[in-house]
């Protein structure tokens, strides 16, 4: 029968072993994987400006980006391809709430510069290699 | 209770009670906004109610953990708390920082990082506050007459939780890197060190409530927390499938997160077995219910419902949908909400000296909140499945699908109301116990297992 000491060794051994593996994988991901997948060389000052605004206004409190966030407003990973920069700019600079189907977005009324920063940021996100996410809807072509 | 300073626990629990009611209130604001009733949009837009709902959850659970530690550590180490005045200051400061943070969310003062919305300026205050808490706990343990496994596991969990908050405070220009380290905090908390804290509290309750030998309970505690880390550390990978990290996380995250339910299954079997093995029966039957309840519901919510969408091929379609909300609600309630309610239920008679633990009110609170939560989770499940099929599989527009979810949101509102009734009954019962009193010192013998 397992003794208390053996149980302690199981706990410590497993924790230490898997922590080391996790940290080693994380180092690889942070130093090589994410910079390559996100095309870090394309992260211009404008993209970073947009990233700061994304953070400051808690956009993921309603939207999802890379599938992360809240489920009140649309997923924005591919929004640049989906609606294009002109519509995005109109929404971001609007002084009245954008409200598709009555669901209101905060009317941020961003300046031109801020809106362009956010658009550049979302364009950059759209180009990240996300291992196949978001998937093309597999049943879309079956709809007649 | 044995020591006067254990009374601090009461105030931590009272803070938890207050905050859970606020959390639920903001949850209703969110549900009604989803249904189109967003009359508060000007003052409380959805991202505000979301940030408040999530952060209050974190704070009330942490406050519950702190209360548990303030009660358990003196008992286990056979010693008064070290400088209890610091414990009162720490709790007061936590409440003040919490109020400032929540108020700030209404004035666009936050960071858009799910679960970690508290702005970095306040993060430093949180760190100071947690250091103060750890100082009191670790000094008590240090000066104590004994160091039990239960107390050590609980303290290591609390210490690790504090350390893991730090990676979330680093700024990254790269959004994907920010997301990567955000999960170091959130995942390694809820599927890592918080389970250590939960395991420690659960072991303490089982020792007290079943009368089973401490050595047996603590041996299995090691096995369970061992399983938690064995699966949970590399299981972090399930957050890295589709967020800009390399594809090796799909394999590693998929395999190890599929093992995560094992730890929760271990916890459920452990609690049930210890209860059956115990020949003594504790008079506080409601505390026994919450204790067994948390072990079983956490297995269902965190274990099984997590498994339901953790495989990469499934997660490709469920990632970022209400399927996550389904899992999140039962996991948080089962694992962390219910363990906090379990320890409160056990502690209240001991700190107030009032033996009203088996009244109908406490019993109804348990069953009504449980039924309400299971109903809410069913509503989220129906939403999630509908959303996945219509939006992700058929490719319908986001808002078109959202409107198809309205019937499920009405079910959510009804079941959440049932849950709220359960919680209000619990809080009412909490208030009926009255304030902690020195007269309760030494009365614990009357509450021992018989």
């Amino acid at each position: 029968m397992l003794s208390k000491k053996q149980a302690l060794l199981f706990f410590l051994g497993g924790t230490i072993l898997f922590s080391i593996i996790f940290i080693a994988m994380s180092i690889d991901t942070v130093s090589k994987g994410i910079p390559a997948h996100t095309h870090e060389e394309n992260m211009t000052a404008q993209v970073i400006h947009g990233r700061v605004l994304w953070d400051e206004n808690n956009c993921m409190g309603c939207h999802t980006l890379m599938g992360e966030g809240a489920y009140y407003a649309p997923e924005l990973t591919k929004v640049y391809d989906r609606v294009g920069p002109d519509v995005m700019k109109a929404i971001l600079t609007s002084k009245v709430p954008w409200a598709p189907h009555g669901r209101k977005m905060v009317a941020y009324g961003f300046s031109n510069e801020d809106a362009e920063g956010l658009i550049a940021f979302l364009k950059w996100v759209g180009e990240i290699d996300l291992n196949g996410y978001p998937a093309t809807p597999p049943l879309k072509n079956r709809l007649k | 209770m044995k020591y006067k300073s254990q009374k601090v626990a009461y105030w931590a629990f009272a803070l938890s009670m207050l905050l859970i009611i606020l959390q639920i209130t903001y949850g209703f604001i969110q549900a009604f906004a989803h249904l189109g009733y967003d009359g508060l949009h000007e003052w409380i837009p959805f991202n505000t109610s979301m940030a408040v709902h999530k952060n209050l959850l974190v704070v009330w659970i942490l406050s519950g953990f702190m209360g548990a530690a303030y009660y358990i550590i003196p008992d286990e180490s056979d010693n008064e708390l070290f400088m209890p005045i610091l414990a009162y200051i720490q709790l007061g400061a936590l409440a003040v920082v919490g109020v400032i943070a929540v108020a700030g969310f209404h004035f666009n003062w936050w960071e858009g990082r799910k679960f970690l919305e508290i702005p970095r300026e306040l993060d430093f205050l949180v760190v100071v506050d947690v250091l103060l808490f750890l100082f009191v706990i670790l000094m008590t343990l240090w000066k104590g007459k004994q160091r039990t496994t239960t107390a050590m596991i609980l303290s290591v969990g609390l210490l690790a939780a504090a350390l893991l908050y730090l990676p979330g405070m680093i700024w990254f220009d790269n959004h994907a890197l920010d997301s990567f380290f955000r999960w170091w905090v959130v995942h390694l908390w809820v599927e890592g060190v918080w389970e250590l804290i939960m395991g420690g509290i659960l072991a303490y309750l089982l020792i007290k409530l079943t009368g089973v030998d401490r050595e047996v309970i603590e041996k299995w505690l090691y096995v369970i927390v061992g399983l938690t880390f064995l699966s949970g550390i590399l299981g972090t990978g399930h957050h890295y499938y589709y967020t800009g990290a390399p594809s090796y996380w799909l394999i590693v995250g998929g395999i190890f997160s599929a093992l995560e339910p094992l730890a929760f299954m271990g916890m459920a079997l452990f609690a049930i077995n210890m209860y059956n093995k115990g020949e003594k029966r504790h008079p506080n039957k409601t505390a026994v219910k919450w204790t067994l309840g948390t072990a079983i519901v956490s297995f269902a919510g965190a274990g099984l419902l997590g498994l339901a969408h953790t495989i990469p091929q499934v997660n490709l379609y469920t990632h970022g949908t209400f399927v996550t909300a389904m899992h999140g609600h039962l996991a948080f309630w089962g694992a962390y909400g219910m363990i906090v309610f379990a320890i409160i239920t056990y502690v209240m008679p001991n700190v107030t000296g009032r033996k009203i633990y088996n009244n109908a009110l406490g019993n109804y609170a348990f069953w009504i909140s449980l039924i309400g939560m299971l109903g809410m989770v069913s509503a989220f499940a129906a939403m999630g499945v509908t959303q996945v099929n219509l939006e992700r599989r058929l490719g319908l527009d986001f808002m078109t699908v959202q409107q198809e979810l309205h019937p499920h949101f009405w079910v959510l509102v009804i079941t959440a109301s049932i849950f709220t009734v359960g919680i209000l009954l619990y809080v009412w019962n909490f208030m009926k116990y009255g304030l902690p009193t020195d007269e309760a010192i030494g009365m614990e013998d009357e509450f021992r297992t018989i």
Side-chain angles (χ1 to χ4, degrees):
Chain A
M1 192 60 185
L2 185 80
S3 72
K4 192 173 175 185
K5 196 171 171 193
Q6 286 169 326
L8 171 64
L9 285 176
F10 166 73
F11 163 58
L12 288 178
T15 303
I16 292 167
L17 174 68
F18 288 107
S19 297
I20 292 170
I21 297 173
F22 178 68
I23 289 170
M25 287 179 72
S26 293
I27 290 171
D28 180 74
T29 298
V30 169
S31 63
K32 290 191 228 143
I34 289 181
H37 274 240
T38 57
H39 311 291
E40 220 171 50
E41 67 279 3
N42 296 340
M43 257 170 48
T44 59
Q46 201 180 26
V47 170
I48 294 170
H49 178 58
R51 147 107 177 86
V52 172
L53 290 170
W54 172 267
D55 194 67
E56 279 178 358
N57 292 290
N58 190 16
C59 304
M60 86 190 295
C62 294
H63 291 279
T64 46
L65 190 64
M66 309 194 298
E68 297 186 321
Y71 319 128
Y72 191 66
E75 161 66 50
L76 294 180
T77 305
K78 298 285 180 194
V79 69
Y80 187 88
D81 295 340
R82 196 169 65 238
V83 305
D86 295 339
V87 175
M88 288 165 79
K89 195 166 182 177
I91 296 170
L92 289 167
T93 52
S94 170
K95 298 264 196 297
V96 289
W98 168 251
H101 294 264
R103 185 168 292 182
K104 289 191 200 104
M105 175 171 159
V106 174
Y108 287 103
F110 285 115
S111 67
N112 254 341
E113 189 196 347
D114 286 351
E116 276 162 16
L118 273 164
I119 292 166
F121 169 67
L122 290 169
K123 179 171 184 286
W124 170 79
V125 170
E127 290 162 358
I128 296 177
D129 174 1
L130 295 174
N131 298 329
Y133 182 88
T136 311
L139 302 178
K140 195 166 187 171
N141 295 333
R142 305 255 193 103
L143 286 176
K144 292 260 159 61
Chain B
M1 63 183 165
K2 274 199 273 189
Y3 297 102
K4 187 179 169 151
S5 53
Q6 284 174 294
K7 285 194 301 184
V8 186
Y10 172 88
W11 298 103
F13 295 152
L15 181 61
S16 289
M17 295 290 100
L18 183 70
L19 297 184
I20 190 180
I21 290 176
L22 262 180
Q23 190 211 350
I24 292 172
T25 309
Y26 276 78
F28 274 106
I29 294 175
Q30 289 177 276
F32 280 112
H34 266 283
L35 284 164
Y37 302 102
D38 62 348
L40 293 170
H41 175 80
E42 286 293 312
W43 304 278
I44 310 175
F46 192 85
N47 53 355
T48 295
S49 54
M50 184 53 118
V52 174
H53 186 68
K54 285 207 163 81
N55 282 267
L56 285 177
L57 165 73
V58 174
V59 180
W60 83 252
I61 285 174
L62 282 178
S63 179
F65 286 167
M66 286 171 175
Y70 284 143
Y71 186 85
I72 294 172
I73 299 296
D75 190 20
E76 288 282 298
S77 64
D78 221 352
N79 192 19
E80 285 280 4
L81 265 186
F82 181 78
M83 296 179 72
I85 181 75
L86 290 181
Y88 284 105
I89 293 173
Q90 179 267 323
L91 274 180
L94 180 74
V96 170
V97 171
V99 168
I100 296 174
V102 166
F105 294 162
H106 294 75
F107 298 97
N108 225 26
W109 192 42
W110 51 17
E111 290 170 3
R113 305 157 77 231
K114 195 173 176 179
F115 286 108
L116 303 178
E117 285 90 347
I118 294 180
R120 281 185 177 73
E121 294 85 339
L122 282 181
D123 276 345
F124 288 103
L125 290 180
V126 172
V127 169
V128 172
D129 191 75
V130 171
L131 284 177
L132 195 58
F133 164 73
L134 285 170
F135 177 70
V136 175
I137 291 299
L138 296 177
M139 283 306 286
T140 309
L141 208 55
W142 181 258
K143 300 222 161 205
K145 298 188 188 78
Q146 54 181 18
R147 273 166 227 141
T148 63
T149 301
T150 300
M152 292 303 280
I153 294 272
L154 178 60
S155 305
V156 169
L158 292 164
L159 182 67
L163 288 177
L164 280 170
Y165 192 66
L166 303 177
M169 289 173 61
I170 310 166
W171 171 268
F172 295 99
D173 283 341
N174 188 329
H175 179 75
L177 273 178
D178 183 81
S179 179
F180 184 84
F181 282 105
R182 191 168 54 82
W183 290 115
W184 270 48
V185 187
V186 181
H187 175 92
L188 291 175
W189 264 9
V190 299
E191 280 152 90
V193 297
W194 279 24
E195 281 185 59
L196 226 59
I197 300 170
M198 181 198 176
I201 299 173
L202 188 65
Y204 175 81
L205 285 167
L206 289 171
I207 290 168
K208 295 289 175 184
L209 295 171
T210 67
V212 173
D213 183 41
R214 171 184 289 277
E215 290 299 303
V216 177
I217 288 182
E218 291 180 339
K219 177 177 80 179
W220 291 110
L221 176 62
Y222 276 138
V223 175
I224 288 160
V225 293
L227 281 174
T228 299
F229 283 143
L230 190 141
S231 57
I233 295 173
L234 290 177
T236 315
H238 63 217
H239 298 288
Y240 300 153
Y241 296 161
Y242 308 118
T243 52
S247 54
Y248 50 65
W249 288 108
L250 295 172
I251 301 164
V252 175
I255 292 171
F256 284 88
S257 62
L259 295 175
E260 279 185 43
L262 280 181
F264 283 104
M265 187 172 75
M267 197 123 43
L269 292 175
F270 166 65
I272 295 166
N273 275 326
M274 292 304 128
Y275 174 72
N276 287 334
K277 202 173 151 94
E279 288 166 357
K280 297 173 179 173
R281 286 289 173 257
H282 196 280
N284 190 342
K285 292 194 193 103
T286 317
V288 176
K289 270 197 201 97
W290 282 104
T291 304
L292 293 179
T294 187
I296 295 165
V297 179
S298 64
F299 172 50
L304 294 179
L305 292 185
L307 185 66
H309 63 132
T310 201
I311 305 299
Q313 291 83 345
V314 174
N315 196 254
L316 181 62
Y317 298 103
T318 58
H319 180 49
T321 67
F322 280 104
V323 170
T324 313
M326 161 196 82
H327 160 59
H329 279 78
L330 199 63
F332 265 109
W333 176 243
Y336 303 120
M338 288 180 76
I339 190 75
V340 168
F341 276 50
I343 188 74
I344 295 178
T345 309
Y346 172 74
V347 165
M348 286 306 280
N350 299 348
V351 293
T352 61
R354 302 192 66 189
K355 294 186 228 172
I356 51 171
Y357 36 62
N358 289 328
N359 59 1
L361 204 55
N363 197 29
Y364 281 130
F366 174 82
W367 288 111
I368 293 174
S369 62
L370 183 60
I371 290 166
M373 179 52 82
L374 291 176
M376 287 166 64
V377 171
S378 307
F380 278 122
M383 279 176 214
V385 172
T386 307
Q387 189 185 10
V388 166
N389 282 321
L390 296 184
E391 190 186 323
R392 300 294 178 82
R393 307 276 301 171
L394 284 171
L396 296 184
D397 165 67
F398 177 85
M399 272 313 296
T400 307
V401 176
Q402 288 289 307
Q403 290 182 319
E404 293 300 309
L405 303 182
H406 280 194
H408 307 305
F409 265 101
W410 282 114
V411 177
L412 179 70
V413 167
I414 293 165
T415 49
S417 304
I418 298 172
F419 176 72
T420 308
V421 170
I423 298 302
L424 290 176
L425 290 179
Y426 190 92
V427 175
W428 185 15
N429 205 29
F430 181 90
M431 288 159 69
K432 274 180 71 175
Y433 272 107
L435 295 175
T437 165
D438 288 347
E439 286 167 24
I441 297 171
M443 276 175 66
E444 199 167 272
D445 280 348
E446 291 180 38
F447 302 108
R448 286 241 170 95
T449 44
I450 44 175

